[in-house]
Amino acid sequence: MTSFDTSPQLNVWRALLALAVVFVMLATTGWTALRIHRESTALQASLAKWRHGSIHGLHLPDPEAAPARLSRFFATLGPEDQSRLAHRYPLAVGNMNGAPVDLRYRANHIALDQARKVEKKRMHDTRLSTAGHQDAGRLMHRYESLLTPDRQILAFDPEGSGRIAEVFGDLNKAERISVVVPGVDTDLLTFQKTYRPYTAPVGMAKALYAAERAQSPSTRTAVIAWADYTAPDGLGVDAATGLRAEEGAVRLNALLGGLPGRAPVAMVCHSYGSVVCGVAAHTLPRRVTDIAVAASPGMRVSNASHLDTRARVWAMRDATDWIQDVPYLELGGLGHGADPVSSGYGARVLSARDAQGHAGYFQPGTDSLRNLADIGIGAYDAVTCAHENNACRTGLSDASMAGRA
């Protein structure tokens, strides 16, 4: 729920209306009304082409094989063969968990350039309306910005509103990795914003990366802006249920399973992104040490222990955030469960002072960003709790020092 930062009353009414709409849909058409059947996409076509492909007369491995299996395959190839595969199957390789990250960056650069050319042609397609030409122009300019040489695009899918993930820092050499999981209204066009940049995934990840480096200059860190799931579009049906979160959780765990190295990973989950993280929690790899949620509408459980994860669970909410007025409930698949900052939930509650509203948690200078950065670098003894009793640090004295890279 990234972009909804208007009055609390208006948003509460929207949320209640969304729940009512869902009840009506369930009563009249059933859950199947919420499922969308799509034709083959460009990514699916690239994967299909890979499945029928070969190199030096040998069949290519299943692109959905375990990341370790794919990693071993790519390790047998020289640079020229790897590059050849990236050029033949850019979308497949660019989204392949287990492929070398530098190769994924190159493959996605190729795929983005191909997508840019498609949108450039659409800008002058006489069959499109003026609005269609404008949409094509916006996408073309977004692709151009993503094609700048310094950007490290880890995943890219142009289908629909688009999915994407970007890395800040050196993922191969990182001693600590943070993954930012954003909320609703996240797609290719909202992935980065010029106005209010810290409310978009790129700005969130950049701010977190800068804060981590400032707070521990000697620690090699990397931050992933992960918008590689189909987020709900506004506070509608999808935002009121866990369907998008369930789909996103599968993709999130696939990403985590394919990360290089053994560096500890901290999940930083904002708004509906915390629903995704909650659903994914019980299958997260052991290297995920922390799940920190901000502005959460719930994690689809009544208690943190029900997440069934070894990771430490942290939660924060600013006093001015309207999300606190949305009912914390789960009934027949609607709503997302208990409030993660409530006293009985069991999360370690952090200060979010000065976050200002629903979308201000990554604003530089806030307690929220400092706390998220401390978790990202493993400096648990430095976090600021929401309450003066420092309960959020209970039992962490030994873990805080072991967690430092």
Side-chain angles (χ1 to χ4, degrees):
M1 302 181 181
T2 301
S3 65
F4 283 81
D5 202 21
T6 54
S7 71
Q9 294 81 4
L10 177 60
N11 283 290
V12 171
W13 278 111
R14 283 175 175 168
L16 293 175
L17 177 61
L19 291 175
V21 169
V22 175
F23 275 124
V24 171
M25 290 185 68
L26 294 180
T28 57
T29 62
W31 283 110
T32 55
L34 301 180
R35 300 190 181 276
I36 300 173
H37 300 281
R38 294 181 176 176
E39 297 179 356
S40 178
T41 67
L43 174 56
Q44 290 168 345
S46 185
L47 289 168
K49 186 178 177 183
W50 169 282
R51 287 188 175 94
H52 292 91
S54 63
I55 189 164
H56 301 308
L58 300 175
H59 289 296
L60 299 176
D62 183 348
E64 296 181 0
R69 164 74 178 89
L70 292 169
S71 179
R72 289 194 296 270
F73 163 73
F74 281 103
T76 67
L77 303 178
E80 290 186 2
D81 285 338
Q82 289 189 6
S83 181
R84 187 175 293 114
L85 291 178
H87 279 84
R88 285 181 187 172
Y89 320 102
L91 279 173
V93 174
N95 291 277
M96 195 173 293
N97 295 305
V101 293
D102 290 334
L103 186 64
R104 291 179 68 172
Y105 299 157
R106 294 202 301 273
N108 283 317
H109 187 93
I110 295 167
L112 281 162
D113 189 48
Q114 292 175 347
R116 180 191 64 83
K117 291 174 180 176
V118 169
E119 297 306 323
K120 187 174 182 179
K121 289 182 179 179
R122 292 182 70 245
M123 287 176 63
H124 306 287
D125 190 335
T126 56
R127 295 169 297 179
L128 296 182
S129 65
T130 301
H133 291 152
Q134 292 173 344
D135 288 342
R138 282 193 289 268
L139 276 172
M140 190 197 73
H141 291 304
R142 175 44 46 89
Y143 293 147
E144 286 179 341
S145 70
L146 292 169
L147 280 165
T148 54
D150 61 329
R151 302 195 74 164
Q152 302 177 130
I153 306 304
L154 187 64
F156 166 62
D157 183 358
E159 179 65 19
S161 58
R163 297 194 297 250
I164 192 162
E166 183 172 9
V167 176
F168 300 91
D170 190 332
L171 198 55
N172 285 312
K173 297 180 179 179
E175 297 169 311
R176 308 282 310 195
I177 298 171
S178 298
V179 181
V180 175
V181 183
V184 306
D185 289 336
T186 298
D187 55 31
L188 277 169
L189 291 177
T190 61
F191 186 58
Q192 182 173 359
K193 296 179 182 178
T194 302
Y195 173 67
R196 300 178 69 223
Y198 304 116
T199 66
V202 167
M204 292 175 177
K206 278 186 173 181
L208 182 59
Y209 180 58
E212 288 180 352
R213 295 187 69 187
Q215 286 162 234
S216 184
S218 63
T219 303
R220 295 193 301 270
T221 63
V223 178
I224 302 173
W226 189 79
D228 192 27
Y229 81 108
T230 303
D233 183 11
L235 284 177
V237 171
D238 283 345
T241 71
L243 291 179
R244 294 296 187 192
E246 290 168 7
E247 296 167 0
V250 173
R251 300 185 64 82
L252 181 59
N253 270 308
L255 164 90
L256 296 169
L259 291 178
R262 298 181 179 179
V265 176
M267 307 302 302
V268 179
C269 320
H270 179 250
S271 198
Y272 190 87
S274 68
V275 185
V276 178
C277 291
V279 175
H282 71 287
T283 50
L284 291 173
R286 291 178 64 91
R287 67 189 293 184
V288 176
T289 56
D290 299 272
I291 304 172
V293 302
S296 176
M299 301 178 74
R300 301 197 69 78
V301 293
S302 59
N303 188 278
S305 63
H306 298 165
L307 292 171
D308 193 21
T309 178
R310 293 174 177 267
R312 288 171 285 269
V313 181
W314 309 81
M316 63 172 68
R317 185 175 65 216
D318 183 71
T320 63
D321 190 342
W322 58 260
I323 199 72
Q324 64 189 308
D325 297 318
V326 173
Y328 283 91
L329 54 84
E330 193 281 322
L331 180 63
L334 305 176
H336 302 303
D339 183 355
V341 303
S342 63
S343 58
Y345 189 79
R348 299 175 181 275
V349 184
L350 298 161
S351 170
R353 186 169 54 88
D354 298 329
Q356 295 301 311
H358 188 65
Y361 292 85
F362 294 82
Q363 183 71 36
T366 57
D367 273 7
S368 51
L369 181 61
R370 282 190 292 269
N371 277 327
L372 294 174
D374 282 333
I375 291 168
I377 61 175
Y380 307 116
D381 55 336
V383 300
T384 304
C385 301
H387 308 294
E388 293 183 357
N389 58 11
N390 293 327
C392 75
R393 295 203 298 267
T394 300
L396 290 179
S397 57
D398 293 333
S400 64
M401 299 309 295
R404 290 183 186 272

